[in-house]
Amino acid sequence: MIRRALRLGLGPGLLGRGLGAHREGSTLDWHGKVSEIKKKIQSVLPGGAWSPLCDTSHLPPEHSDVVIVGGGVLGLSVAYWLKRLEKRQGAIRVLVVERDHTYSQASTVLSVGGIRQQFSLPENIQLSLFSVEFLRNINQGAKVCLMSPEQLRKKFPWMNTEGVALASYGLENEGWFDPWCLLQGLRRKVQSMGVLFCHGEVTRFVSSSNHMETAIGEKVTLKRIHEVHVKVDHSQEYQPVECSIVVNAAGAWSGRIAELAGIGKGPSGTLQGTKLPVEPRKRYVYLWHCPQGPGLEAPLVADPSGAYFRREGLGNNYLGGCSPAEEEEPDPGNLEVDHDFFQEKVWPHLAQRVPAFETLKVRRAWAGYYDYNTFDQNGVVGPHPLVVNMYFATGFSGHGLQQAPAVGRAVAEVMLEGHFQTINLSPFLFSRFYLGEKAQEHCII
């Protein structure tokens, strides 16, 4: 049965099946024919020399073993681990396609940059611990202590413990870091490893299909992507890129990328009709100044109300916010900030928990996107069961940045070896959406 097969997990690694790019069964449109036309012109020119009338250095390569859609920290992490774990140096050609070359609207750089190990699912705890080791070069276990209201007041006298029965305090491996520095450092690293970058937008996939029938008579269609069509940034030019594997790490826009591959376009209630339930959700981040605030003693604090904050620098500044209720979700069509949301929904909770915040002054604010998984607010990792060469690294609903190093390694392991090795992330496979098996994460901020 197809349900049983989906629960069994993953198949042979793609290295075992060969990573060479091919195009069997693909059908080219006009833009795809441009590449073929160039080759024919080249064959009739004296000496076979091809002298293009314009510079094409900004175009992506015509062939790549792996195309990663999304150049944020998750996509870069997948690229890093693919090159780090490849059996022979230079064996795997990797192309990263990022539509926002300035990263001005990228979730990575607009986030608060917090890192924590306190989650309700053990897989999320393991992901964070691995990532902390990667980021800080340490190798220690999760150390959390439970504190009574009296203990909490003694350690943090500036905090109001009313309504708190028990507090969970991370003794180490928690805090925050600069997302921009992480992104740029990781990008420089993967470029030094031979990873190529293209600033553009994926507009189409060309694939072949294979119709099959299960033992109980269910009809399924397996697809394999052979070409990724990339529209180059600030240009009308398109480039078809032949490939063997596509990684969907497009963050808040990964649902659209999945639809381009035909995912979810089938009868309702079937595996073929199961969508990737990831959509953009707008979240506000506010920076405020409060001379009477907690100061250097302030850890990353997540209030039971959902409000959170952390210290920003050494000048009595703080970063924080709160996720809106489902019925209050703002329009994700833009990144405009609702300042009334802070006054009405965030500030009252902050002032109740930290009385000194009664006198805070908001200095600036911005908005960013969560790649929000509407099914269970957890990541989607690994291959699609029907589009057999599309892999996911998305849907983390706000905790993808802090877990990116571990997620990148997990995706690379599945691609290269056919199964998770370091951390078993089988609960995060796409198939759970069809099976209705939630991996619910309750500690989302």
Side-chain angles (χ1 to χ4, degrees):
M1 291 179 64
I2 191 169
R3 286 179 173 266
R4 181 172 181 273
L6 289 172
R7 286 195 180 93
L8 289 178
L10 310 167
L14 287 187
L15 275 187
R17 290 180 257 162
L19 269 170
H22 59 284
R23 53 190 294 162
E24 176 186 353
S26 63
T27 57
L28 295 175
D29 62 3
W30 165 248
H31 298 296
K33 291 179 180 177
V34 171
S35 176
E36 298 301 316
I37 293 172
K38 287 181 180 179
K39 294 174 183 177
K40 290 181 180 179
I41 294 175
Q42 180 180 3
S43 67
V44 300
L45 288 175
W50 165 245
S51 300
L53 298 178
C54 59
D55 180 21
T56 60
S57 60
H58 61 291
L59 295 176
E62 295 183 359
H63 308 273
S64 183
D65 295 316
V66 180
V67 174
I68 299 175
V69 185
V73 70
L74 278 167
L76 293 178
S77 179
V78 175
Y80 170 83
W81 285 109
L82 277 173
K83 300 301 291 182
R84 174 80 179 270
L85 299 177
E86 63 182 352
K87 296 291 192 296
R88 178 171 56 84
Q89 187 175 2
I92 305 175
R93 296 169 294 178
V94 180
L95 170 68
V96 176
V97 180
E98 170 56 48
R99 69 175 191 169
D100 179 12
H101 73 280
T102 66
Y103 290 103
S104 61
Q105 296 189 6
S107 301
T108 297
V109 300
L110 295 174
S111 74
V112 172
I115 186 165
R116 57 194 174 93
Q117 60 191 338
Q118 299 180 61
F119 289 93
S120 59
L121 287 181
E123 290 85 2
N124 279 329
I125 296 171
Q126 293 175 60
L127 285 171
S128 287
L129 287 174
F130 179 94
S131 296
V132 167
E133 180 182 350
F134 179 87
L135 293 171
R136 300 181 179 175
N137 196 29
I138 60 175
N139 185 18
Q140 299 174 342
K143 293 187 178 180
V144 177
C145 71
L146 299 178
M147 303 175 71
S148 68
E150 292 76 16
Q151 292 172 317
L152 195 62
R153 277 195 300 269
K154 185 176 180 180
K155 185 168 185 63
F156 304 113
W158 43 264
M159 184 180 294
N160 176 15
T161 60
E162 181 181 351
V164 175
L166 204 61
S168 176
Y169 178 56
L171 299 174
E172 58 184 33
N173 296 345
E174 297 190 316
W176 54 88
F177 52 89
D178 187 329
W180 178 254
C181 290
L182 171 63
L183 182 69
Q184 293 302 313
L186 193 52
R187 176 159 176 161
R188 286 193 295 269
K189 179 63 177 178
V190 298
Q191 284 181 307
S192 72
M193 301 168 83
V195 174
L196 299 178
F197 282 81
C198 173
H199 297 137
E201 183 177 359
V202 171
T203 59
R204 186 185 175 206
F205 295 111
V206 177
S207 60
S208 60
S209 300
N210 184 19
H211 303 286
M212 299 181 63
E213 190 171 296
T214 68
I216 61 171
E218 289 183 84
K219 294 182 179 179
V220 295
T221 300
L222 300 181
K223 287 186 176 182
R224 177 176 291 276
I225 297 170
H226 301 295
E227 284 186 356
V228 179
H229 286 202
V230 179
K231 178 180 177 296
V232 180
D233 198 20
H234 302 303
S235 170
Q236 294 302 312
E237 293 180 274
Y238 287 77
Q239 174 72 53
V241 181
E242 297 179 0
C243 64
S244 290
I245 302 171
V246 175
V247 178
N248 187 343
W253 320 112
S254 55
R256 296 183 185 178
I257 296 299
E259 288 180 1
L260 281 179
I263 293 171
K265 295 184 177 180
S268 178
T270 67
L271 180 58
Q272 194 163 325
T274 302
K275 297 179 179 294
L276 176 68
V278 177
E279 62 184 41
R281 293 285 181 93
K282 185 163 69 171
R283 294 293 181 263
Y284 308 120
V285 178
Y286 303 90
L287 184 147
W288 63 87
H289 181 67
C290 184
Q292 293 78 36
L296 298 179
E297 295 182 354
L300 174 62
V301 177
D303 189 73
S305 66
Y308 67 92
F309 72 91
R310 68 165 174 84
R311 175 175 54 81
E312 172 68 356
L314 305 177
N316 295 312
N317 293 321
Y318 303 86
L319 283 178
C322 183
S323 293
E326 190 71 27
E327 63 275 10
E328 299 174 328
E329 284 289 347
D331 179 9
N334 59 65
L335 286 179
E336 296 177 0
V337 175
D338 182 354
H339 293 275
D340 291 337
F341 183 79
F342 181 85
Q343 296 297 326
E344 298 170 5
K345 303 295 182 179
V346 183
W347 177 70
H349 296 297
L350 293 174
Q352 191 277 334
R353 187 60 57 204
V354 184
F357 283 161
E358 286 276 1
T359 60
L360 64 80
K361 300 293 183 183
V362 177
R363 288 190 162 176
R364 62 188 181 97
W366 63 88
Y369 291 115
Y370 272 12
D371 52 335
Y372 194 81
N373 176 354
T374 61
F375 184 74
D376 58 13
Q377 294 77 63
N378 248 315
V380 190
V381 182
H384 188 270
L386 297 182
V387 183
V388 296
N389 61 337
M390 174 170 277
Y391 288 71
F392 298 104
T394 187
F396 283 86
S397 307
H399 53 278
L401 173 60
Q402 61 183 297
Q403 297 180 344
V407 173
R409 177 160 188 142
V411 174
E413 288 173 350
V414 174
M415 291 166 60
L416 298 175
E417 304 295 339
H419 58 91
F420 299 117
Q421 294 181 312
T422 307
I423 302 173
N424 181 12
L425 297 183
S426 295
F428 294 169
L429 290 171
F430 179 96
S431 55
R432 75 184 192 271
F433 306 134
Y434 169 67
L435 299 172
E437 298 175 349
K438 291 187 176 183
Q440 192 74 53
E441 176 55 60
H442 299 287
C443 296
I444 297 294
I445 61 173

